[in-house]
Amino acid sequence: FVIYMALLVWIILFKLQFSISEIDKIRSINLIPFHYKNEIGMNYHLKEVLENVAIFIPLGIYLCMFRHEFTVKVKIFFVFMISLLFEIFQYILAVGRTDVTDLITNTCGGVVGIALYCLIIRVFHNRKQVNLIITILAAVVTLVVVFLLTVLFIFN
């Protein structure tokens, strides 16, 4: 979980850069959902939307594992607040566009993670066993990601 959160910070705030000086200094706010502006005009970025959803799915799963006693509404609110904090920090640090679309898609990703976890629990009826399997899978994925990032860092 700690490695996941560190990666989330690196992805969202540091834009996968190894040097802070390489990060574009941008401070802007977009309050219009799914509104993108480029040189040609408005454009919809499905890839970015799907990436934002995907990177927040583990947060919903981890939240269910660590705080199963919280209601679904509280879990969704927690995911929303984490996403909001990232957007606020992007603005404060001038490291990206603060965008309501990101807030929506990040929260949707967390909701997908919460729903997946709840579905898996309903299918297998054993929270302890499901948590163990998810922990093992998360450890394997984490090791692969850390290995790939290490290789990337060495050759960059």
Side-chain angles (χ1 to χ4, degrees), residues 79-131:
V79 171
F80 173 82
M81 292 306 295
I82 293 289
S83 179
L84 181 62
L85 283 172
F86 277 122
E87 295 303 313
I88 289 169
F89 278 117
Q90 279 184 328
Y91 184 80
I92 291 170
L93 300 173
V95 292
R97 291 177 177 84
T98 300
D99 195 334
V100 70
T101 303
D102 292 347
L103 189 59
I104 293 167
T105 55
N106 295 348
T107 303
C108 285
V111 169
V112 168
I114 293 166
L116 277 172
Y117 184 85
C118 291
L119 180 67
I120 293 168
I121 290 296
R122 285 182 187 235
V123 169
F124 292 103
H125 304 293
N126 188 336
R127 183 179 305 276
K128 205 173 191 180
Q129 189 176 28
V130 168
N131 285 352

Side-chain angles (χ1 to χ4, degrees), residues 13 20 24 40 43 55 62 70 73 75 79 83 140 153:
L13 295 182
I20 293 176
D24 293 334
I40 300 169
N43 195 4
I55 64 172
Y62 280 128
F70 287 173
K73 287 180 184 179
K75 292 172 188 171
V79 171
S83 179
V140 169
F153 183 71

Side-chain angles (χ1 to χ4, degrees), residues 45-61:
H45 296 132
L46 181 62
K47 181 181 176 219
E48 183 181 338
V49 167
L50 294 176
E51 288 170 348
N52 284 347
V53 170
I55 64 172
F56 269 77
I57 290 173
L59 182 61
I61 293 171

